[in-house]
Amino acid sequence: MIITIFSFVPAFAAQNVISDSNVQITLDYPDIVKQGKEFVLSSIVKATADQVSNITLTISSPEIEFSQNSFHVEKLVKDSTLGNNFNAKVKQETPDGTFLANIEVNYYVKGYFDAQPVKNSLTKAIQLNAESKPILLVDIQAPGDVFAGELFSIKGTVRNQGANAQNIQLTLVSSEIELDGKKSFSLTNLDSGRMSDFEFIVQTQKELGAPTHATIHINGTYSDEAKTYHVDNSLSIFARQRGMLEIGDANGIWFGNFFIAPVVGVGTIVSSVIGFLIFVWHLKNKRKTRKSKK
C-alpha cells in the first residue's frame, strides 16, 4: 500500500487565447509574479482570414507598469503570425493575491461585399497572481507498511507557488521509531513556479518489538531575502518484524486487534514445487501406459 499526501497546486504558467473568425491572439505569462519585479507577457497575433489589417493589441492594469503597453501590426496575410513581448513590472504596493489585466484588440477586415474595411474589437481580462514571499508545498509518497530494520523509500516533490525560495532544507524525524539512512534533502534555490523531486531512503531499528503505528514528520525551512519560513508535514507508517519464513512485502489486513500478513513461507514454495513435479511424473506415466496399450 502506498500513501500519497498532496495538496492542490495551481498552474505555474498561464496561457490565454482571444479569437474570433478573423484573428487569434495567444498570450503567455507567468501565473505568479512578485511586487517590484519585472516579468514578460508574450503575445502572438495570427490572421485567420484574408484582408485583416491595422491590428492593435493593448494591455492595461492598475497593478502593472509597462515600458510599452501597445503593439501594432499593419497587415497580416491569412495564417501568418507575428509575436511581441511586453516588458512589465508589478507595482510595489500591489497586495498579495490575484489581480486582473485587461486585453483589448482592435483590427480592420474587408469582406467581399464591403466597400471599406470594417473595424472589429475583442476584449478579455486575464488573471495574474502576486506573491511577495515564497510558498512551498510538499507532496509525499510513502509505503504504508514496512519491515523493521529494512530499507524503504519516501519520495516526494517540492513545489514553489510563490516568490523565489532559497536554502531549502527538509528532514525526516519521528519520536516513535528510530530512523537511519538518507533522511535529509537540501536545495540551494527554487524559483517561482518551479518544482524539484526528492527521495529519502531510511530504515527503522532492527529490533522493534511490538508492531508499531508511527508518525514521521517532514520538517524543514526555506527563505527569501528577508525571512525564514517553515515546512511541517507528516505521514503514518505501520512497522513490524518480518516473520522467519516470510517472503514479500509488509502489507496486511487488520481484523479487530489481529494483523494478518500476506505470508508466503518457504514450506509453501517447496510444497508447490514438489506438487508440480508429482503432477508431471503422473502425466508422463499415463502417456507411457497409453503407448504400451497401443
Side-chain angles (χ1 to χ4, degrees):
M1 178 176 65
I2 301 293
I3 294 177
T4 303
I5 301 174
F6 62 92
S7 303
F8 172 77
V9 183
F12 289 131
Q15 184 179 87
N16 259 293
V17 177
I18 307 172
S19 64
D20 62 10
S21 58
N22 301 310
V23 297
Q24 176 181 292
I25 291 86
T26 303
L27 303 167
D28 286 284
Y29 49 92
D31 181 65
I32 302 161
V33 294
K34 185 176 181 180
Q35 294 88 337
K37 299 294 183 180
E38 295 182 352
F39 69 96
V40 174
L41 192 155
S42 64
S43 65
I44 298 176
V45 179
K46 179 180 181 180
T48 56
D50 292 317
Q51 302 293 326
V52 179
S53 61
N54 291 318
I55 307 167
T56 302
L57 171 63
T58 304
I59 304 176
S60 60
S61 173
E63 283 80 19
I64 302 176
E65 298 173 351
F66 292 95
S67 57
Q68 184 174 351
N69 72 329
S70 184
F71 170 57
H72 182 75
V73 183
E74 190 66 33
K75 188 175 182 180
L76 280 178
V77 299
K78 185 179 179 180
D79 294 329
S80 63
T81 61
L82 189 64
N84 179 69
N85 287 338
F86 293 92
N87 296 316
K89 182 178 180 180
V90 183
K91 293 181 179 179
Q92 191 67 53
E93 63 271 18
T94 300
D96 283 355
T98 59
F99 65 92
L100 299 177
N102 296 310
I103 313 298
E104 182 179 357
V105 182
N106 294 304
Y107 68 91
Y108 289 83
V109 62
K110 187 176 183 298
Y112 291 111
F113 303 104
D114 296 326
Q116 297 293 330
V118 178
K119 183 178 180 180
N120 288 266
S121 296
L122 293 171
T123 59
K124 186 172 184 178
I126 62 172
Q127 182 174 284
L128 297 98
N129 184 23
E131 294 292 345
S132 60
K133 60 185 180 182
I135 301 173
L136 298 194
L137 293 182
V138 180
D139 300 343
I140 311 164
Q141 286 189 335
D145 306 277
V146 300
F147 286 122
E150 298 186 17
L151 292 172
F152 63 96
S153 172
I154 297 176
K155 297 180 179 180
T157 301
V158 57
R159 306 166 185 264
N160 185 2
Q161 66 169 31
N164 294 347
Q166 304 170 359
N167 302 320
I168 300 163
Q169 304 285 336
L170 299 177
T171 306
L172 292 185
V173 295
S174 178
S175 60
E176 297 161 318
I177 55 174
E178 298 175 14
L179 290 174
D180 292 314
K182 181 187 174 184
K183 54 184 180 180
S184 62
F185 168 79
S186 62
L187 190 63
T188 304
N189 295 292
L190 189 63
D191 290 343
S192 174
R194 299 292 183 178
M195 58 183 288
S196 178
D197 295 328
F198 63 85
E199 182 178 15
F200 303 112
I201 301 176
V202 294
Q203 62 186 13
T204 70
Q205 63 266 40
K206 291 184 179 180
E207 299 300 326
L208 192 61
T212 302
H213 286 281
T215 300
I216 298 177
H217 295 275
I218 299 179
N219 295 335
T221 58
Y222 59 96
S223 61
D224 56 16
E225 297 87 350
K227 190 177 178 180
T228 298
Y229 307 90
H230 295 273
V231 175
D232 186 9
N233 213 329
S234 64
L235 58 95
S236 296
I237 63 166
F238 174 71
R240 65 180 180 86
Q241 300 290 148
R242 183 188 287 272
M244 185 174 294
L245 299 179
E246 188 173 349
I247 299 173
D249 59 31
N251 295 331
I253 303 171
W254 280 97
F255 287 98
N257 295 325
F258 298 98
F259 179 79
I260 299 178
V263 176
V264 180
V266 174
T268 303
I269 296 173
V270 172
S271 298
S272 299
V273 173
I274 292 173
F276 176 74
L277 293 175
I278 291 172
F279 170 77
V280 172
W281 182 77
H282 277 296
L283 185 63
K284 200 172 183 180
N285 281 343
K286 283 183 180 180
R287 289 177 178 174
K288 285 182 179 180
T289 304
R290 288 175 184 172
K291 286 181 180 179
S292 62
K293 285 182 180 180
K294 290 179 180 180

